[in-house]
Short mmCIF file of all heavy atoms in Angstrom, two decimals:
data_model
loop_
_atom_site.label_atom_id
_atom_site.label_comp_id
_atom_site.label_asym_id
_atom_site.label_seq_id
_atom_site.Cartn_x
_atom_site.Cartn_y
_atom_site.Cartn_z
N LYS A 1 109.65 88.81 74.37
CA LYS A 1 108.56 88.86 75.35
C LYS A 1 108.91 89.86 76.44
O LYS A 1 110.08 90.24 76.61
CB LYS A 1 108.32 87.48 75.96
CG LYS A 1 109.47 86.98 76.83
CD LYS A 1 109.23 85.58 77.38
CE LYS A 1 108.10 85.54 78.36
NZ LYS A 1 107.94 84.22 78.99
N PHE A 2 107.90 90.26 77.19
CA PHE A 2 108.10 91.17 78.32
C PHE A 2 108.14 90.37 79.63
O PHE A 2 107.38 89.41 79.82
CB PHE A 2 106.97 92.20 78.40
CG PHE A 2 107.13 93.35 77.46
CD1 PHE A 2 106.26 93.49 76.37
CD2 PHE A 2 108.13 94.29 77.64
CE1 PHE A 2 106.40 94.55 75.50
CE2 PHE A 2 108.27 95.36 76.77
CZ PHE A 2 107.41 95.49 75.70
N VAL A 3 109.02 90.80 80.51
CA VAL A 3 109.03 90.30 81.89
C VAL A 3 109.19 91.51 82.81
O VAL A 3 109.73 92.54 82.41
CB VAL A 3 110.18 89.30 82.16
CG1 VAL A 3 109.99 88.02 81.38
CG2 VAL A 3 111.53 89.92 81.87
N SER A 4 108.71 91.38 84.02
CA SER A 4 108.91 92.44 85.01
C SER A 4 109.58 91.86 86.24
O SER A 4 109.37 90.69 86.60
CB SER A 4 107.57 93.09 85.39
OG SER A 4 106.75 92.18 86.08
N PHE A 5 110.42 92.68 86.86
CA PHE A 5 111.13 92.28 88.07
C PHE A 5 110.79 93.25 89.19
O PHE A 5 110.67 94.46 88.96
CB PHE A 5 112.64 92.28 87.84
CG PHE A 5 113.10 91.34 86.76
CD1 PHE A 5 113.37 91.82 85.48
CD2 PHE A 5 113.28 90.00 87.02
CE1 PHE A 5 113.79 90.97 84.48
CE2 PHE A 5 113.70 89.14 86.02
CZ PHE A 5 113.96 89.62 84.75
N ASP A 6 110.64 92.73 90.38
CA ASP A 6 110.39 93.55 91.56
C ASP A 6 111.55 93.35 92.53
O ASP A 6 111.93 92.21 92.83
CB ASP A 6 109.07 93.15 92.22
CG ASP A 6 108.78 93.98 93.45
OD1 ASP A 6 108.49 95.18 93.30
OD2 ASP A 6 108.87 93.44 94.58
N ILE A 7 112.11 94.46 93.01
CA ILE A 7 113.19 94.38 93.98
C ILE A 7 112.59 94.27 95.37
O ILE A 7 111.84 95.15 95.80
CB ILE A 7 114.12 95.60 93.89
CG1 ILE A 7 114.63 95.77 92.46
CG2 ILE A 7 115.30 95.44 94.86
CD1 ILE A 7 115.38 97.06 92.22
N LYS A 8 112.91 93.21 96.07
CA LYS A 8 112.31 92.95 97.38
C LYS A 8 112.86 93.92 98.43
O LYS A 8 114.07 94.06 98.57
CB LYS A 8 112.58 91.50 97.81
CG LYS A 8 111.94 90.46 96.89
CD LYS A 8 112.43 89.06 97.19
CE LYS A 8 112.04 88.62 98.59
NZ LYS A 8 112.46 87.19 98.83
N ASP A 9 111.94 94.58 99.15
CA ASP A 9 112.32 95.45 100.29
C ASP A 9 113.49 96.37 99.92
O ASP A 9 114.53 96.37 100.58
CB ASP A 9 112.71 94.60 101.50
CG ASP A 9 111.58 93.69 101.95
OD1 ASP A 9 110.41 94.06 101.75
OD2 ASP A 9 111.86 92.59 102.48
N LEU A 10 113.30 97.18 98.89
CA LEU A 10 114.42 97.95 98.34
C LEU A 10 115.06 98.88 99.36
O LEU A 10 116.27 98.82 99.61
CB LEU A 10 113.96 98.74 97.11
CG LEU A 10 115.02 99.65 96.47
CD1 LEU A 10 116.25 98.86 96.07
CD2 LEU A 10 114.43 100.37 95.26
N TYR A 11 114.27 99.79 99.95
CA TYR A 11 114.87 100.80 100.84
C TYR A 11 115.60 100.17 102.05
O TYR A 11 116.73 100.56 102.35
CB TYR A 11 113.79 101.78 101.31
CG TYR A 11 113.49 102.86 100.29
CD1 TYR A 11 112.63 102.62 99.22
CD2 TYR A 11 114.07 104.13 100.37
CE1 TYR A 11 112.36 103.59 98.28
CE2 TYR A 11 113.80 105.11 99.43
CZ TYR A 11 112.94 104.84 98.38
OH TYR A 11 112.68 105.80 97.44
N PRO A 12 114.98 99.20 102.74
CA PRO A 12 115.71 98.59 103.86
C PRO A 12 116.91 97.75 103.43
O PRO A 12 117.71 97.35 104.27
CB PRO A 12 114.64 97.69 104.52
CG PRO A 12 113.33 98.20 104.04
CD PRO A 12 113.59 98.70 102.66
N SER A 13 117.04 97.47 102.12
CA SER A 13 118.14 96.63 101.64
C SER A 13 119.34 97.43 101.13
O SER A 13 120.39 96.85 100.85
CB SER A 13 117.64 95.73 100.50
OG SER A 13 116.58 94.89 100.94
N ILE A 14 119.19 98.75 101.00
CA ILE A 14 120.29 99.56 100.48
C ILE A 14 121.43 99.60 101.50
O ILE A 14 121.22 99.99 102.66
CB ILE A 14 119.82 101.01 100.19
CG1 ILE A 14 118.71 101.01 99.14
CG2 ILE A 14 121.01 101.87 99.75
CD1 ILE A 14 119.12 100.54 97.78
N PRO A 15 122.65 99.20 101.13
CA PRO A 15 123.79 99.25 102.06
C PRO A 15 124.26 100.69 102.23
O PRO A 15 124.83 101.29 101.32
CB PRO A 15 124.86 98.39 101.36
CG PRO A 15 124.51 98.48 99.90
CD PRO A 15 123.03 98.65 99.80
N THR A 16 124.02 101.26 103.39
CA THR A 16 124.26 102.69 103.60
C THR A 16 125.75 103.06 103.52
O THR A 16 126.11 104.08 102.93
CB THR A 16 123.69 103.15 104.96
OG1 THR A 16 124.18 102.29 105.99
CG2 THR A 16 122.17 103.10 104.95
N ILE A 17 126.61 102.25 104.12
CA ILE A 17 128.05 102.57 104.11
C ILE A 17 128.58 102.59 102.68
O ILE A 17 129.30 103.50 102.26
CB ILE A 17 128.84 101.57 104.97
CG1 ILE A 17 128.44 101.70 106.45
CG2 ILE A 17 130.35 101.79 104.81
CD1 ILE A 17 129.06 100.67 107.36
N GLU A 18 128.20 101.59 101.91
CA GLU A 18 128.63 101.50 100.50
C GLU A 18 128.08 102.67 99.68
O GLU A 18 128.78 103.23 98.84
CB GLU A 18 128.12 100.17 99.93
CG GLU A 18 128.60 99.86 98.53
CD GLU A 18 128.10 98.50 98.06
OE1 GLU A 18 127.88 97.61 98.91
OE2 GLU A 18 127.93 98.34 96.84
N THR A 19 126.84 103.05 99.96
CA THR A 19 126.21 104.14 99.21
C THR A 19 126.86 105.48 99.54
O THR A 19 127.10 106.30 98.64
CB THR A 19 124.70 104.20 99.51
OG1 THR A 19 124.12 102.92 99.21
CG2 THR A 19 124.02 105.27 98.69
N ILE A 20 127.15 105.71 100.81
CA ILE A 20 127.82 106.95 101.21
C ILE A 20 129.19 107.06 100.54
O ILE A 20 129.59 108.14 100.08
CB ILE A 20 127.96 107.02 102.75
CG1 ILE A 20 126.60 107.25 103.39
CG2 ILE A 20 128.93 108.13 103.16
CD1 ILE A 20 126.61 107.19 104.90
N LYS A 21 129.90 105.95 100.44
CA LYS A 21 131.21 105.94 99.78
C LYS A 21 131.06 106.32 98.30
O LYS A 21 131.87 107.09 97.76
CB LYS A 21 131.85 104.56 99.91
CG LYS A 21 133.26 104.50 99.36
CD LYS A 21 133.88 103.12 99.57
CE LYS A 21 135.29 103.06 98.98
NZ LYS A 21 135.90 101.71 99.15
N THR A 22 130.00 105.80 97.66
CA THR A 22 129.76 106.13 96.25
C THR A 22 129.44 107.61 96.09
O THR A 22 129.94 108.27 95.17
CB THR A 22 128.60 105.29 95.70
OG1 THR A 22 128.90 103.90 95.86
CG2 THR A 22 128.35 105.58 94.22
N VAL A 23 128.61 108.14 96.99
CA VAL A 23 128.28 109.58 96.97
C VAL A 23 129.54 110.41 97.09
O VAL A 23 129.74 111.39 96.36
CB VAL A 23 127.29 109.93 98.10
CG1 VAL A 23 127.13 111.44 98.24
CG2 VAL A 23 125.93 109.29 97.84
N GLN A 24 130.41 110.01 98.01
CA GLN A 24 131.66 110.74 98.22
C GLN A 24 132.52 110.75 96.96
O GLN A 24 133.07 111.79 96.58
CB GLN A 24 132.44 110.12 99.38
CG GLN A 24 133.68 110.89 99.77
CD GLN A 24 134.32 110.31 101.04
OE1 GLN A 24 133.97 109.22 101.49
NE2 GLN A 24 135.24 111.04 101.62
#
């Protein structure tokens, strides 16, 4: 069967410090 998921408030939920470390 198919199911769909929605990520709640995606952009405001992104952890910036963690993401910058990943980019680095």
Side-chain angles (χ1 to χ4, degrees):
K1 67 182 293 186
F2 280 110
V3 293
S4 67
F5 300 99
D6 180 70
I7 305 171
K8 296 170 64 177
D9 301 330
L10 177 57
Y11 279 82
S13 300
I14 299 295
T16 52
I17 295 175
E18 186 178 331
T19 304
I20 289 174
K21 185 177 179 181
T22 302
V23 170
Q24 186 173 12

